Each structure stands twice: as structure tokens, then as C-alpha cells.
Amino acid sequence: ELQLHAQAAKMEARLFTYPNLFVNTLEVSVEKGMLTLRGIVRDPKQKKRVEEIARELAGDSPIKFNLHYRIQ
């Protein structure tokens, strides 16, 4: 599980510094042996992009998404 915590921290840092992806409300944690990504995104396009990048960064590690849309 320590490896998952290190992976969560690395994923969070990468998402915050990813070019053209401005989402400052993301949090990556480890829950029940699974990476969990939660936060607020602007729209479905941004949600899809965040999920794609996170899956790529997660590799073979299980990941769960808990993303919500910002109320305009």
C-alpha cells in the first residue's frame, strides 16, 4: 500500500502540472487498496481528459473516479 500512496502523490503532482489542464481542486488518495481521484471539473470534456490522463498514470493500479461538475 505504501507504493500506492507514492503513486497517488506522483499522480496528483502530474495532474497539477499537466500542460493545458487547469484543475486546482483535484485530490488523489488511497482508499481500500485503490487510487481514488476526486475533485471538481468544468465540463464533460475536461472530466474525460482528467480520467484519460489519470488512467495512463495509474498503469495497472486500480483507480476510482469521484469527479463532479462546477456549478456555473
Side-chain angles (χ1 to χ4, degrees):
E1 189 162 309
L2 185 59
Q3 185 178 3
L4 278 177
H5 284 282
Q7 191 173 10
K10 183 177 178 182
M11 179 183 292
E12 191 169 285
R14 288 288 308 274
L15 287 168
F16 280 128
T17 59
Y18 205 90
N20 301 320
L21 186 70
F22 304 106
V23 184
N24 61 357
T25 59
L26 293 179
E27 175 188 319
V28 184
S29 60
V30 178
E31 296 177 7
K32 299 179 183 175
M34 180 180 294
L35 293 167
T36 302
L37 176 62
R38 59 173 55 89
I40 300 171
V41 293
R42 284 192 308 264
D43 52 41
K45 182 178 177 183
Q46 187 178 53
K47 181 179 186 280
K48 181 180 178 187
R49 187 70 181 128
V50 167
E51 289 177 351
E52 288 173 350
I53 295 166
R55 281 192 187 96
E56 182 180 311
L57 294 171
D60 293 334
S61 298
I63 187 167
K64 179 175 82 172
F65 297 99
N66 190 2
L67 298 172
H68 303 280
Y69 298 114
R70 177 178 297 147
I71 298 172
Q72 300 287 338

